[in-house]
Amino acid sequence: MPAATSTPAGGTPSAAPVGADAGTLALTLTDTAQLGMILTDGRGMTLYLFTKDSPNQSACEGQCLKNWPPLIGKPTAGQGVDDSKLGSFQRADGRTQATYNGWPLYYWKDDAAPRDVAGAGLQGVWFVLNRDGDAIKA
């Protein structure tokens, strides 16, 4: 069942909220035609992991963060998500970044709508996550 989404007055969801709200932070599993069930935020926007990260530590800085905005805040479990895999950590800039299975979570700047997966597999280091918190490398 797809996750509920909200669209701002401008028409398309914003991929990188300045301060994520409770609805956005309720992570869910969303079915996509390309990759099956993937981890998304509460609006259905795809979340990614960066394989150069360490558990609860981001290696994405500078221009990387402009292209891959982090999910900021402490996540909660929505439909289908394993709540034991939820977490967060404090980034070097003082913000709290959401994690799943230890992986810091990010958006891809070119995903414009819920279920977009344009960042999947980019540069061989950016991947969407499955329910177990593992990279989907399809």
Side-chain angles (χ1 to χ4, degrees), residues 47-98:
L47 295 167
Y48 296 88
L49 65 78
F50 181 38
T51 60
K52 294 184 179 184
D53 284 346
S54 301
N56 299 306
Q57 185 173 354
S58 174
C60 185
E61 299 294 337
Q63 185 62 41
C64 178
L65 289 177
K66 291 179 182 173
N67 294 329
W68 299 94
L71 175 59
I72 299 299
K74 293 184 179 183
T76 60
Q79 184 174 9
V81 171
D82 181 347
D83 64 349
S84 73
K85 297 190 181 297
L86 298 173
S88 61
F89 70 99
Q90 188 169 3
R91 296 184 52 81
D93 62 14
R95 297 182 296 167
T96 299
Q97 184 170 354

